Amino acid sequence: MSRQTLDGTSVGEVALLTSMAPLGLVMRGLLLILCHRRKASASLPSPWFRHLLLDICVTVLPLVLSYTILSDDLHPVIILTTLVLACLSFYIYHGSGSGHHLQKTTRSFLHSRVQSQNRVPFVTSFRALVNVKTAISILAVDFRVFPRRFAKTETYGTGLMDVGVGAYILANALVSPEARRRRENPPGYQRDALRKQLSSVWPLVALGLGRLVSVKMADYHVDVTEYGLHWNFFFTLAAVRVLASLLFTLFPVNKSWLVAVLLCVFYQFSLETSALQSFIIDNDCEWTQGFLHANKEGIFSITGYLVIYMAGVQIGLYVMRPRTRVKEWLKVMASFLFGSCVLYCALHVCQMTFEPVSRRMANAPFCIWIVAQCLFSMACLGTADIILLYMQSLSACYCVPSSWNPHNKDKMRRSNVVEGRCLLQAVNRNPLLFFVLANVMTGLINVTVDTFNVGRYLSVCLLLTYMFINCCVMQTLHNYGVTVKFW
């Protein structure tokens, strides 16, 4: 892999790739509605394996193809998919008998009440999709069919895989204990939370040590410009969680946005006015000079990831506010889109004023880009959920997954039956296990297959087989109600 090609792709192309998953979720919902409309409701819920195949076809398959053989044809693929969805939606709407009462139906829908059962569906989808996209990317990058512009950038640039590391941090922050709080916490709560956090991050440290040992034993090539010689992403996750809990003992949770801004400004100021920037990107440092020199990328980028985490907690506080009407959730989507646009503009200004995005340093432009991209992604997923809920109300089919439940016990029961079979729910149940399993599978495939010399179509087949195995394991655990959490 030539280093000259590791400068990423455009911000626009990364955002365009984001739209594939929401389109797939809408497709899945519309297909289930059509199944119901054809008097096949008696077969719902069908065997879980059929639901798994459907999820893989409409969620995993489009992502794999868009990351590989269709990467140069994203615009026509998205336009064609949107047209198909529009035709399916019109067909469902035309057969619903609501044609003469569209205005009344829409008004009633906007004021209808929904039940989220202490969770926000599009946040669940976002967190699960971050894991799914990461799992695809960490293996796909080893094949030639994966475009080099999507790989992690070396120093500056916006690569598709650069989004994954930041989005994973923000996804964890969205459902952190601080973001899910519902009332003021008693005195001393944050100190107790810090102690619990210190005792709960040991699996991440253990996984980091396990990865370090296995990589060294297998003599697996690792680019030291990512995190350094010994550091890896598991150590970063553990450090960010502990440092965030420490900050929350000093600052109120509802001011996490302010902490994020101050940290971001301070870190960028340090990069610009000191020798820190040249120290981090200097490839000529001798690793024998000490642990800090050998792992400078991983250690100093923690500050940037901490900024993203604190921003994610603030977003989580906003999202987790009690809301019961569709109209209120539409305002949330509008807020996300507006915030995303503002941050994209700020990103442009920062890149013109300071420096380009750098995952290696996790500088201010990188932090702004990650938060903007995540807001845009959640806005798309939330809009997809609202579209499905509207089509659900038109067709009186309450078996649409990954959407809010109607505020009716009987309708909720029917919706939950199918929703429980959704792959994204299964992945979200054991996200860390899915991430570890994907890493283990990636290592095994790289040991047994010469991935770089595999042909285009065989590469896609291997990627789909790999994802099928990962998804089957998660779905089986979900079907039996197994949550793997040993800390």
Side-chain angles (χ1 to χ4, degrees):
M1 185 187 304
S2 174
R3 284 191 170 187
Q4 282 74 21
T5 61
L6 297 181
D7 54 1
T9 182
S10 66
V11 172
E13 186 173 31
V14 174
L16 188 67
L17 283 162
T18 300
S19 63
M20 293 299 297
L23 291 176
L25 294 180
V26 174
M27 179 70 75
R28 182 185 196 272
L30 294 183
L31 290 176
L32 286 173
I33 290 176
L34 287 175
C35 182
H36 174 82
R37 287 282 302 274
R38 289 183 173 276
K39 308 301 181 181
S41 58
S43 64
L44 294 173
S46 59
W48 68 268
F49 192 72
R50 295 183 189 177
H51 280 281
L52 178 61
L53 289 178
L54 176 61
D55 280 339
I56 290 175
C57 288
V58 300
T59 303
V60 177
L61 177 61
L63 290 175
V64 170
L65 295 179
S66 63
Y67 289 4
T68 53
I69 59 177
L70 296 181
S71 58
D72 294 326
D73 302 297
L74 290 176
H75 286 91
V77 169
I78 290 175
I79 292 173
L80 179 61
T81 304
T82 304
L83 288 174
V84 171
L85 292 177
C87 292
L88 290 176
S89 300
F90 179 78
Y91 178 76
I92 293 172
Y93 163 75
H94 183 72
S96 65
S98 305
H100 301 293
H101 310 284
L102 179 60
Q103 186 175 3
K104 181 180 178 181
T105 302
T106 303
R107 188 185 302 114
S108 175
F109 170 73
L110 292 176
H111 291 87
S112 62
R113 300 183 65 187
V114 291
Q115 174 62 257
S116 60
Q117 292 185 307
N118 300 327
R119 62 173 181 78
V120 181
F122 66 82
V123 171
T124 299
S125 300
F126 172 74
R127 296 182 68 238
L129 285 168
V130 167
N131 278 277
V132 170
K133 293 175 181 179
T134 301
I136 295 172
S137 299
I138 60 176
L139 178 59
V141 70
D142 296 319
F143 294 95
R144 285 189 298 175
V145 71
F146 187 79
R148 295 303 99 191
R149 68 183 186 277
F150 288 175
K152 289 180 181 179
T153 54
E154 183 183 3
T155 301
Y156 293 106
T158 51
L160 174 65
M161 292 186 69
D162 293 332
V163 177
V165 292
Y168 201 95
I169 294 285
L170 191 138
N172 284 337
L174 289 174
V175 295
S176 64
E178 294 82 10
R180 288 180 295 178
R181 68 173 192 166
R182 300 191 181 280
R183 56 183 181 274
E184 291 299 322
N185 297 312
Y189 169 82
Q190 292 299 343
R191 288 191 294 273
D192 293 337
L194 176 59
R195 285 193 291 269
K196 291 180 180 179
Q197 196 69 270
L198 287 171
S199 62
S200 66
V201 297
W202 70 263
L204 293 173
V205 176
L207 288 170
L209 291 172
R211 175 177 170 78
L212 174 62
V213 172
S214 61
V215 165
K216 296 299 181 184
M217 290 180 62
D219 196 24
Y220 184 72
H221 171 72
V222 175
D223 188 355
V224 295
T225 63
E226 289 187 22
Y227 298 104
L229 186 61
H230 311 102
W231 203 266
N232 58 57
F233 190 56
F234 291 111
F235 294 143
T236 297
L237 281 174
V240 166
R241 286 176 56 175
V242 172
L243 290 174
S245 296
L246 179 61
L247 285 175
F248 286 131
T249 64
L250 305 174
F251 302 95
V253 177
N254 59 1
K255 299 298 181 183
S256 59
W257 67 271
L258 181 60
V259 178
V261 171
L262 292 176
L263 271 177
C264 189
V265 171
F266 171 76
Y267 182 49
Q268 187 62 39
F269 180 77
S270 300
L271 290 171
E272 295 288 330
T273 59
S274 69
L276 180 59
Q277 184 183 76
S278 58
F279 171 72
I280 295 175
I281 64 177
D282 183 8
N283 292 327
D284 296 327
C285 286
E286 291 291 336
W287 296 332
T288 56
Q289 293 179 359
F291 182 81
L292 181 64
H293 283 76
N295 302 281
K296 53 190 181 344
E297 293 90 352
I299 293 173
F300 287 102
S301 65
I302 289 174
T303 305
Y305 290 120
L306 186 58
V307 170
I308 295 171
Y309 188 91
M310 300 300 286
V313 170
Q314 190 70 53
I315 296 170
L317 285 173
Y318 174 68
V319 170
M320 297 299 176
R321 291 177 188 173
R323 297 178 179 88
T324 58
R325 298 190 184 278
V326 173
K327 191 175 182 179
E328 295 172 330
W329 286 109
L330 278 173
K331 292 180 180 178
V332 173
M333 299 306 106
S335 299
F336 280 179
L337 283 175
F338 177 75
S340 179
C341 291
V342 170
L343 288 174
Y344 277 127
C345 292
L347 172 63
H348 178 72
V349 172
C350 282
Q351 293 198 106
M352 296 293 292
T353 306
F354 302 113
E355 59 181 346
V357 171
S358 173
R359 172 204 51 81
R360 188 174 178 182
M361 291 181 285
N363 58 1
F366 175 78
C367 298
I368 294 171
W369 175 50
I370 292 299
V371 177
Q373 177 63 33
C374 290
L375 286 176
F376 177 72
S377 179
M378 286 190 287
C380 292
L381 291 169
T383 302
D385 274 337
I386 291 174
I387 291 172
L388 287 180
L389 188 62
Y390 182 63
M391 301 309 296
Q392 179 184 17
S393 64
L394 283 179
S395 61
C397 174
Y398 303 102
C399 59
V400 179
S402 299
S403 184
W404 284 275
N405 293 316
H407 199 74
N408 178 288
K409 289 185 178 180
D410 180 59
K411 295 176 182 178
M412 281 176 59
R413 180 184 62 79
R414 284 184 281 169
S415 179
N416 288 336
V417 169
V418 176
E419 186 178 4
R421 298 182 182 275
C422 181
L423 174 61
L424 297 185
Q425 293 287 337
V427 172
N428 197 61
R429 188 185 195 107
N430 293 293
L432 184 57
L433 178 63
F434 181 78
F435 185 62
V436 172
L437 178 62
N439 276 271
V440 172
M441 290 284 294
T442 298
L444 291 175
I445 292 173
N446 274 280
V447 169
T448 56
V449 179
D450 183 10
T451 55
F452 191 72
N453 292 316
V454 174
R456 288 167 55 86
Y457 297 106
L458 181 56
S459 299
V460 172
C461 291
L462 286 172
L463 281 168
L464 289 174
T465 302
Y466 150 84
M467 286 302 299
F468 179 77
I469 294 172
N470 291 336
C471 293
C472 274
V473 173
M474 292 300 106
Q475 189 67 61
T476 301
L477 292 175
H478 184 59
N479 291 345
Y480 287 99
V482 177
T483 302
V484 180
K485 187 173 184 179
F486 43 87
W487 60 94

